[in-house]
Amino acid sequence: QVQFVESGGGLVQTGGSLRLSCTASGTIFRFYSAGWYRQAPGKQRELVAAITSGGTNYVDSVKGRFTISRDNAMNTVYLQMNSLNPEDTAVYYCNKYPSVEYFWGQGTQVTVSS
């Protein structure tokens, strides 16, 4: 019954920044752990950032550029994306970490122009 809703995507130029947000609808939910995932056309969905009780971790391609965080109530998860490049173009999704298949939402499109 959990449905995640992503927002904050858009079209930006190379080097620009975006801040994505994720909230859960349908029930009271707290992100004790969470992940941001992305899927580019023709490619599989991949984990790009995760936050757990042990800290945060990132795929190598976004280290130093992306930051995952959550609010104090743990009901919203954010992804700050800086120094964007065209390789970051994808639909971005949030979910638990590890992910739960039936929790996937619609995602938010991020397009980075050259």
Side-chain angles (χ1 to χ4, degrees), residues 31-42:
F31 287 98
Y32 293 102
S33 64
W36 280 98
Y37 307 76
R38 68 186 180 188
Q39 185 170 27

Side-chain angles (χ1 to χ4, degrees), residues 19-23 31-36 49-52 55-58 66-81 94-95:
R19 185 177 186 243
L20 308 183
S21 299
C22 172
T23 59
F31 287 98
Y32 293 102
S33 64
W36 280 98
I51 184 167
T52 69
T56 60
N57 56 80
Y58 304 88
F66 290 9
T67 303
I68 186 171
S69 63
R70 59 190 167 199
D71 63 10
N72 290 333
M74 297 191 292
N75 56 16
T76 306
V77 178
Y78 305 95
L79 185 68
Q80 179 66 47
M81 310 164 65
C94 64
N95 206 317

